[in-house]
Amino acid sequence: MPEVFPWVRHLTTDELRSFTFELVAALSDAAELDLDSQSEEVIAGWRATARIKADPAEYADARKPTSGDFGPVEVSV
């Protein structure tokens, strides 16, 4: 996996295992059901996790508890 996705070095062993299982399942669905977007979503989600964990300050900030309502969420299509 590190040869294909170098950013996985920022994931824990358990996270890397989860990413691998999710990616294999998504690629299987892509092959069997012609659902290509799911594998892209798995990769993008785990890459975002690795990006946050790569920066100790950003990771510490992301782990802080939140409270309150942050308002409506806009969904772009």
Side-chain angles (χ1 to χ4, degrees), residues 64-74:
K64 290 180 184 174
T66 60
S67 64
D69 184 352
F70 295 100
V73 175
E74 292 184 31

Side-chain angles (χ1 to χ4, degrees), residues 26-51:
L27 291 172
S28 176
D29 286 348
E32 299 293 326
L33 304 171
D34 198 27
L35 297 173
D36 293 335
S37 64
Q38 188 178 4
S39 55
E40 293 171 12
E41 290 173 12
V42 169
I43 294 168
W46 280 104
R47 184 171 183 243
T49 299
R51 181 181 296 131

Side-chain angles (χ1 to χ4, degrees), residues 1 3 6 9 12 15 17 19-20 23 27 31-32 35 37 40 51-54 56 60 70 72-73 76:
M1 290 296 268
E3 292 81 21
R9 70 182 180 276
T12 66
E15 290 169 335
R17 185 176 305 123
F19 168 56
T20 303
L23 183 59
L27 291 172
E32 299 293 326
L35 297 173
S37 64
E40 293 171 12
R51 181 181 296 131
I52 290 172
K53 293 184 80 175
F70 295 100
V73 175
S76 59

